[in-house]
Amino acid sequence: MEQYTVTGMSCAACSARVEKAVSGVKGVTSCSVSLLTNSMGVEGSASAEEIIAAVRDAGYGAALKKGNQDRAARPLSEEDALADRETPVLKKRLFASLGFWIVLMYVSMGNMMWGWPLPSFFAGNHVAMGLLQLLLTVIVMVINQKFFISGFQSLWRRAPNMDALVALGATAAFCYSTFALFAMTDAQVRGDMAAVMVYMDEFYFESAATILTLITLGKMLEAHSKGKTTNALKGLMKLAPKTATLLRDGAEITVPIEQVAKGDVFVVRPGENIPVDGAVLEGSSAVDESSLTGESIPVDKAEGSTVSAGTLNQSGFLRCEATRVGEDTTLSQIIQMVSDAAATKAPIAKVADRVSGVFVPAVISIAVVTVIVWLLTGQTAGFALARGISVLVISCPCALGLATPVAIMVGNGMGAKNGILFKTAVSLEETGKVRIVALDKTGTITLGEPKVTDILPAEGMDKTELLAMAYTLEKKSEHPLARAIHQRAEQDGLTAVEVDKFQALPGNGLTASLDGAALYGGSYAFISGMIQVPAGMKARSEQLSEEGKTPLFFARDGALCGIIAVADTIKEDSPQAIREMRNMGIRVVMLTGDNERTAKAIGAKAGVDEVIAGVLPDGKDSVIRELQQQGKVIMVGDGINDAPALTSADIGIAIGAGADVAIDAADVVLMKSRLSDVPAAIRLSRATLRNIHENLFWAFIYNTIGIPLAAGVFIPLLGWQLNPMFAAAAMSLSSFSVVTNALRLNFFRMHDSKRDHKIRNKSNNANQKEEKPMEKTLKIEGMMCAHCEMHTKKALEALDGVVKAEVSHKTGTAVVTLDKDVADDTLKQAVSEQGYQVTGIQ
């Protein structure tokens, strides 16, 4: 995805216009425009020149962001693109407008309504007062000329935006007031004072100026709040050091971060940020990695340890070799993920987009009809015009356009701050909707490396002797179970004695000689062939096996020394995390290649609902597909063999410490590698979706009530009449309210399980009407790889009525299972929006 900065957009209608213009460029497969960050993400083969030209033809500006290879336009860095340039400009406009508006209100309202004093020159001179009001209004209009330029340009291009509504409303009020001023002047020349007073009441100069001033106030508040929604992303960018201290020819030199190359040796002193990703060559220190993982406890680093850009060296001196620089560093990738997510759209946003596309023309039509109807009922032109102006200025497409992206941005920022990275807006929205979570056992539920759990010495031997003897025998072995014994012995401060005649018998055990004594170690099957194993020890080993542990027997000179049990231990937070997910109404399934007895033992300790044992690495994908028949599925994994399953699942979550392939295939990445972040991600997704619903409800209900109120529908019923000035105030506050509501997500406690509530699992509904669901097979052209399958699958399954979609790029088909009838055109549109063509449906 190439990202661009777009300038000149003022409302949802603008972003819809840009999106439509770029989507029409040949070679563009997808385009997503964010009004919140003034950014645009484009996929396809179209050149940057063509895309920028399309945006320019639509009446807006565009430039490539820093990091794109094509330099057709001056690139902007991410930090520059997110800089809040709007608020200072709007603040100046607001203060300038307020200065003249206060004088205007004093003259028009203060003197006429409350008799506030004016210079003697104006005493009885109504024409002079009218001219002063006209002059002050013109000044306010000039200060806020951007509304008129943008608004009338959009009307000229037949794509009216919010500025068009403001410009039309202010222009109508000003023009009618100017007409009233000339008519009053004529009446005063004729000496018709009664007509003069009538026309004085028809002045709406203060309405025109108030509309512009209040809308500017609302825009400033909105811009300020929007700036806060990107604070998390801007905070990540500020972590990136600007310089690095390199060692060259034995001397230290400070260079800009852009000049650091892979393989360079750099030094970091206490209190300095690490400039790039690297490996420690010399020194030891505690490094604060909270900026990347959210984990507050510093991590000890020594020779051979890896360090990441943007983290803080707290205590010691480190000499490191650069391994990843520039856009390849972990910090840069996190920034890119968060930025890409902001440039994508959630499915729920499409509702608002469809409304925004026709909103402004519809409002203009309603305003015209309102004026005509009131004129036909016998009202004065001034009264009718006031109702029409109120309709224009109270209507707010911005609230609709901002309802989704502001919540997505804040939710995404909150996730990034806590080490949970959502790659797209879709993944943030969909994570909270899942019904099943499938967990890979090794490295996800468990630590992924065996540990010594039990030491059972035989009679006449203590634990230390048994462990020392086992360490001596296992010292030369590279087996994972042997490494567990190495680690425990070294932890206990034991040393190994050199043995002779060491021999590893694959699949059986080890033999060696120590001071003429024969040493044996291995499984029960191996040891029982060498010596007689007491019945009690055999029974104990069987018990250990039932607990999911591997018992290792050790013997010397024909006598059993004891048993050491080794197991891949469960992470401390795994049982609690699984319990929290189950309390949310989510079914938790564990996938493992272990035998059923061992798998069930671990599953029971972890507290999962179901254990699926004996799953081969290439079989996880098919298991996920079977689970999807019962509801939406999250797959959590960390290994290369998890990548196909992560891609097939509705949402793939990768453990950050896992393989790069798994991280690339996933929709969500957990930087802290803690299972407790899975329920946290689900909570954050649900909270974000709930916030979006609140925003959309407010935006729709505001316009649903506000437009009829402004049009005067309630005047004959309840006597409610809305002045254009109050309509402008309501409009200015609507967008601000939506953005402010989204900012509440900053206070959401995603690790607090007290407010969790269960969502009824539809797959368990016994009253389903259809025994056999409907199926449709789509023939699709253009899919080339597994990623194409994933995009198509998720697009189809996002449709209401689609239970699941099985997509294959090899056969060029998608088999869609439905629980109700879905129109063929709807299915075609969902696929075509992903850039592929449906050639037939069966």
Side-chain angles (χ1 to χ4, degrees):
M1 177 187 288
E2 282 197 332
Q3 289 202 29
Y4 298 76
T5 298
V6 182
T7 57
M9 296 190 298
S10 62
C11 72
C14 295
S15 58
R17 169 77 173 164
V18 173
E19 198 166 295
K20 184 177 180 182
V22 175
S23 296
V25 175
K26 187 176 180 181
V28 172
T29 56
S30 73
C31 172
S32 179
V33 179
S34 171
L35 175 64
L36 175 65
T37 56
N38 292 316
S39 63
M40 173 175 67
V42 182
E43 291 182 350
S45 58
S47 67
E49 293 93 335
E50 292 174 310
I51 291 167
I52 291 170
V55 175
R56 194 183 302 117
D57 292 343
Y60 306 91
L64 274 164
K65 286 188 180 180
K66 187 178 179 181
N68 291 288
Q69 298 301 314
D70 191 342
R71 303 297 182 189
R74 184 180 67 85
L76 297 175
S77 70
E78 286 282 358
E79 205 164 351
D80 288 340
L82 290 176
D84 184 6
R85 297 185 182 85
E86 281 188 88
T87 303
V89 173
L90 288 168
K91 194 179 288 185
K92 288 179 182 177
R93 269 173 51 187
L94 176 63
F95 288 150
S97 300
L98 277 173
F100 293 100
W101 176 79
I102 290 170
V103 177
L104 174 60
M105 294 302 289
Y106 184 93
V107 172
S108 63
M109 306 289 284
N111 175 260
M112 293 184 64
M113 295 180 66
W114 299 296
W116 292 352
L118 285 175
S120 58
F121 172 78
F122 291 105
N125 192 342
H126 301 297
V127 173
M129 287 180 64
L131 286 171
L132 179 60
Q133 291 181 48
L134 182 145
L135 178 63
L136 291 168
T137 304
V138 167
I139 293 171
V140 174
M141 291 172 75
V142 170
I143 292 170
N144 295 284
Q145 60 185 280
K146 188 177 178 183
F147 288 126
F148 298 95
I149 295 170
S150 171
F152 288 123
Q153 280 182 347
S154 70
L155 285 169
W156 177 257
R157 293 189 180 91
R158 291 178 295 178
N161 57 16
M162 191 202 79
D163 289 344
L165 297 177
V166 177
L168 285 173
T171 302
F174 178 79
C175 291
Y176 182 77
S177 301
T178 303
F179 164 76
L181 176 59
F182 280 101
M184 184 190 72
T185 304
D186 179 64
Q188 186 160 325
V189 170
R190 289 186 284 104
D192 187 352
M193 296 309 295
V196 169
M197 299 310 296
V198 169
Y199 283 120
M200 277 290 289
D201 290 336
E202 296 291 295
F203 283 177
Y204 287 97
F205 287 119
E206 76 282 353
S207 291
T210 302
I211 288 167
L212 295 170
T213 304
L214 287 179
I215 299 298
T216 301
L217 170 64
K219 284 276 188 183
M220 189 202 74
L221 293 173
E222 178 190 322
H224 180 66
S225 298
K226 279 165 62 178
K228 287 185 176 180
T229 64
T230 57
N231 279 352
L233 185 51
K234 286 184 281 194
L236 285 171
M237 291 173 182
K238 288 177 182 175
L239 292 173
K242 302 293 185 287
T243 60
T245 303
L246 300 184
L247 280 178
R248 287 184 179 167
D249 300 325
E252 293 184 9
I253 59 168
T254 301
V255 299
I257 199 69
E258 293 81 9
Q259 293 182 18
V260 181
K262 186 177 179 181
D264 281 347
V265 176
F266 61 91
V267 296
V268 189
R269 290 179 170 79
E272 294 180 349
N273 279 351
I274 292 165
V276 296
D277 290 4
V280 178
L281 300 176
E282 179 188 344
S284 61
S285 179
V287 175
D288 180 0
E289 297 185 337
S290 59
S291 56
L292 300 186
T293 66
E295 185 60 64
S296 58
I297 300 172
V299 179
D300 291 330
K301 301 291 182 181
E303 187 176 332
S305 300
T306 58
V307 291
S308 299
T311 56
L312 178 66
N313 180 25
Q314 289 191 329
S315 55
F317 177 87
L318 295 175
R319 184 167 67 89
C320 311
E321 180 183 350
T323 55
R324 292 196 292 188
V325 299
E327 294 177 3
D328 295 329
T329 66
T330 303
L331 178 61
S332 295
Q333 289 175 356
I334 291 173
I335 292 170
Q336 191 61 45
M337 278 187 201
V338 178
S339 181
D340 283 348
T344 60
K345 281 192 175 177
I348 196 171
K350 294 177 182 178
V351 178
D353 286 347
R354 284 196 292 269
V355 174
S356 299
V358 297
F359 185 85
V360 177
V363 167
I364 294 172
S365 302
I366 293 170
V368 171
V369 171
T370 297
V371 173
I372 293 171
V373 169
W374 281 114
L375 288 174
L376 292 175
T377 59
Q379 290 291 344
T380 64
F383 181 90
L385 191 63
R387 305 287 72 75
I389 293 169
S390 295
V391 169
L392 288 172
V393 298
I394 201 171
S395 308
C396 189
C398 276
L400 283 171
L402 290 170
T404 299
V406 290
I408 292 291
M409 176 56 88
V410 178
N412 224 343
M414 276 292 290
K417 202 156 52 175
N418 287 274
I420 302 170
L421 302 179
F422 295 92
K423 288 187 178 180
T424 63
V426 177
S427 60
L428 179 55
E429 179 183 337
E430 295 296 318
T431 298
K433 297 179 180 179
V434 296
R435 297 293 180 268
I436 301 169
V437 172
L439 304 173
D440 175 50
K441 187 207 78 174
T442 306
T444 303
I445 294 177
T446 64
L447 290 170
E449 54 182 39
K451 301 278 185 185
V452 172
T453 58
D454 301 86
I455 302 176
L456 306 174
E459 190 175 343
M461 180 170 279
D462 62 25
K463 290 185 178 182
T464 303
E465 284 182 280
L466 173 59
L467 183 58
M469 180 259 177
Y471 184 32
T472 295
L473 180 59
E474 299 275 8
K475 180 64 177 176
K476 293 184 178 181
S477 174
E478 293 297 325
H479 194 280
L481 299 181
R483 286 199 293 271
I485 293 175
H486 297 176
Q487 188 179 30
R488 176 60 183 270
E490 289 166 4
Q491 182 183 318
D492 290 358
L494 303 179
T495 57
V497 182
E498 192 69 26
V499 296
D500 301 319
K501 301 177 183 178
F502 174 83
Q503 188 176 9
L505 307 174
N508 289 300
L510 307 172
T511 64
S513 175
L514 177 64
D515 297 331
L519 305 181
Y520 304 98
S523 64
Y524 171 77
F526 173 69
I527 291 292
S528 62
M530 303 284 184
I531 63 170
Q532 183 70 33
V533 178
M537 295 299 274
K538 180 183 177 184
R540 188 71 182 94
S541 74
E542 290 174 351
Q543 184 182 347
L544 290 169
S545 295
E546 288 175 3
E547 293 172 3
K549 301 172 184 177
T550 302
L552 300 176
F553 291 77
F554 294 92
R556 181 168 53 195
D557 274 345
L560 182 68
C561 297
I563 300 173
I564 295 180
V566 176
D568 184 4
T569 55
I570 294 175
K571 293 179 181 178
E572 287 183 11
D573 67 327
S574 291
Q576 177 64 24
I578 291 167
R579 192 158 50 246
E580 289 178 9
M581 285 187 275
R582 294 182 66 189
N583 288 339
M584 292 179 182
I586 295 170
R587 183 165 146 238
V588 183
V589 179
M590 184 182 85
L591 308 184
T592 177
D594 291 344
N595 63 68
E596 194 162 342
R597 186 173 68 171
T598 302
K600 284 187 175 179
I602 294 174
K605 282 186 180 178
V608 299
D609 292 295
E610 182 183 352
V611 173
I612 302 178
V615 181
L616 298 175
D618 58 355
K620 292 179 183 177
D621 182 34
S622 59
V623 171
I624 293 296
R625 292 181 186 275
E626 288 176 15
L627 289 173
Q628 283 175 320
Q629 296 178 12
Q630 303 165 39
K632 290 194 172 185
V633 178
I634 282 178
M635 171 66 193
V636 186
D638 69 332
I640 292 174
N641 58 18
D642 295 324
L646 290 169
T647 303
S648 297
D650 297 282
I651 294 293
I653 298 182
I655 301 294
D660 288 344
V661 175
I663 292 171
D664 289 342
D667 303 290
V668 184
V669 179
L670 306 181
M671 295 301 296
K672 282 187 277 193
S673 302
R674 290 193 324 206
L675 193 59
S676 57
D677 281 343
V678 175
I682 294 169
R683 277 188 211 102
L684 181 58
S685 171
R686 290 182 179 180
T688 303
L689 192 59
R690 189 163 57 245
N691 193 278
I692 291 171
H693 287 151
E694 291 166 358
N695 287 344
L696 286 173
F697 172 80
W698 163 249
F700 277 114
I701 204 71
Y702 163 82
N703 285 295
T704 303
I705 295 174
I707 292 174
L709 178 62
V713 170
F714 298 108
I715 292 175
L717 300 173
L718 302 170
W720 293 354
Q721 182 175 319
L722 191 66
N723 185 290
M725 290 187 289
F726 292 110
M731 180 188 187
S732 66
L733 289 174
S734 60
S735 296
F736 175 67
S737 300
V738 165
V739 177
T740 304
N741 184 52
L743 287 173
R744 290 191 307 110
L745 280 171
N746 281 312
F747 304 103
F748 179 69
R749 291 180 292 181
M750 65 182 71
H751 288 96
D752 185 359
S753 61
K754 292 178 182 176
R755 296 186 179 180
D756 287 346
H757 61 278
K758 291 190 176 184
I759 294 180
R760 184 172 59 86
N761 196 331
K762 294 180 182 177
S763 65
N764 294 333
N765 186 356
N767 299 318
Q768 292 183 5
K769 293 181 181 178
E770 294 183 30
E771 292 294 324
K772 186 177 179 181
M774 295 181 288
E775 281 190 356
K776 290 187 179 182
T777 301
L778 285 66
K779 294 187 181 297
I780 303 172
E781 288 184 353
M783 296 191 297
M784 305 293 290
C785 63
H787 288 290
C788 299
E789 291 180 1
M790 177 183 68
H791 291 309
T792 305
K793 173 184 173 64
K794 291 188 176 178
L796 289 168
E797 291 183 347
L799 298 175
D800 183 30
V802 176
V803 177
K804 68 168 182 172
E806 293 186 5
V807 184
S808 170
H809 73 277
K810 294 178 181 177
T811 59
T813 61
V815 180
V816 182
T817 305
L818 312 170
D819 61 7
K820 66 179 181 181
D821 189 34
V822 178
D824 289 355
D825 289 342
T826 304
L827 296 171
K828 284 182 179 179
Q829 184 179 354
V831 175
S832 63
E833 284 177 354
Q834 302 304 313
Y836 312 111
Q837 184 180 358
V838 178
T839 58
I841 298 180
Q842 296 177 350

